[in-house]
Amino acid sequence: MLTVGSLWGWTELADRIRSGDVAADLLRPVPPLVSYLAADLGRAGHAMIFRFLPPLAVGVLFFDLYAPSRWFAVPLSALSIVLAVVASLGLRFLVNATAYWLHDARGPITLWTLSAGVLAGLYFPLRFLPDWLAVTLWVGTPFPGLLQTPLDVLVERDPAPVQVGLVGVQAVWAAALVVDVDTPLPPGFSVPGAELVALEADGHRASFDLLSSSAGAVVAELASLASLRDLSLVEPDIEDVVAQLYRS
């Protein structure tokens, strides 16, 4: 499970922020989180086939393994593993993103490395903790869903309703970590006094040419349609202004 979930060792986003290469990523039509998630799901699939299943097959030859008795335990465990991969990438993405503010994310990455294994149940089963603390970790943090929950679901440690509930908690945390809840600009919208030049990133990035409206009026209109994260004003080159005057 460690190779599938890949809790540690990923610093690609922090490195690209530090070098400035992330500027190119932000200009692409696919958001960085989506591209990193797609690549990580592919990596996890490769790890499952070549680094998880072969040792499991060898173990079957030499040891008695527990076979789940409930028909849904294996597919539910597979879903739990996928959610663990998604949540792991979401958390690693957030840790790496601290480089936007700190420029050097080695401190947060080290803290993540030290804490993730403990809170995910790698060094000791979280069931050893007092009930109130274990429940708080499971419900209030995404960490048990990275490792402990998929293993508990596979070996049927809990009754069926509890198993489904644990995977449900996983799904909530995975969605909270990777789903973009920003409202995109609606298709076919227009701003009086401005011409829409481009609409990119699934409606999350728009470019305008001002015609008869002021920049403030356009910004106010956009703010009434969706939440604004960033804003940039680009003045035309003086050569273009002079050429426009001569043409008019």
Side-chain angles (χ1 to χ4, degrees), residues 77-127:
S77 178
L79 174 61
S80 180
I81 292 173
V82 172
L83 293 173
V85 173
V86 173
S88 172
L89 186 277
L91 288 168
R92 286 181 281 129
F93 188 92
L94 290 176
V95 173
N96 276 249
T98 58
Y100 281 118
W101 297 271
L102 303 178
H103 192 61
D104 188 346
R106 284 178 293 182
I109 290 174
T110 301
L111 180 61
W112 159 258
T113 301
L114 295 174
S115 61
V118 175
L119 298 176
L122 173 63
Y123 302 124
F124 60 88
L126 298 181
R127 306 284 180 154

Side-chain angles (χ1 to χ4, degrees), residues 10-248:
W10 186 75
T11 61
E12 182 177 351
L13 176 60
D15 294 339
R16 292 184 68 81
I17 293 172
R18 188 173 184 179
S19 66
D21 292 338
V22 72
D25 299 337
L26 296 173
L27 292 175
R28 295 189 176 108
V30 178
L33 178 58
V34 176
S35 61
Y36 284 130
L37 179 59
D40 203 58
L41 288 172
R43 177 208 55 76
H46 179 273
M48 174 65 71
I49 295 173
F50 293 101
R51 303 187 68 179
F52 180 82
L53 294 180
L56 185 63
V58 173
V60 171
L61 298 177
F62 296 98
F63 303 97
D64 293 330
L65 299 183
Y66 176 81
S69 58
R70 303 172 188 141
W71 66 268
F72 58 85
V74 172
L76 189 63
S77 178
L79 174 61
S80 180
I81 292 173
V82 172
L83 293 173
V85 173
V86 173
S88 172
L89 186 277
L91 288 168
R92 286 181 281 129
F93 188 92
L94 290 176
V95 173
N96 276 249
T98 58
Y100 281 118
W101 297 271
L102 303 178
H103 192 61
D104 188 346
R106 284 178 293 182
I109 290 174
T110 301
L111 180 61
W112 159 258
T113 301
L114 295 174
S115 61
V118 175
L119 298 176
L122 173 63
Y123 302 124
F124 60 88
L126 298 181
R127 306 284 180 154
F128 288 176
L129 297 173
D131 290 343
W132 66 269
L133 182 55
V135 171
T136 301
L137 280 176
W138 245 288
V139 177
T141 75
F143 296 106
L146 302 180
L147 188 62
Q148 187 76 62
T149 297
L151 297 177
D152 285 356
V153 170
L154 182 60
V155 300
E156 300 176 324
R157 184 181 295 273
D158 300 295
V162 177
Q163 281 188 302
V164 175
L166 291 176
V167 176
V169 172
Q170 264 190 296
V172 170
W173 274 112
L177 288 167
V178 302
V179 173
D180 188 354
V181 296
D182 280 353
T183 304
L185 293 169
F189 80 101
S190 62
V191 177
E195 178 186 2
L196 178 63
V197 177
L199 186 61
E200 304 169 311
D202 296 329
H204 288 84
R205 185 186 303 120
S207 302
F208 296 89
D209 273 344
L210 300 182
L211 300 176
S212 59
S213 284
S214 65
V218 173
V219 171
E221 180 67 21
L222 291 174
S224 67
L225 295 173
S227 60
L228 300 181
R229 280 190 182 179
D230 196 7
L231 175 68
S232 62
L233 298 176
V234 180
E235 296 289 344
D237 294 333
I238 186 62
E239 293 85 355
D240 295 334
V241 174
V242 173
Q244 181 66 27
L245 290 175
Y246 275 104
R247 284 196 295 267
S248 60

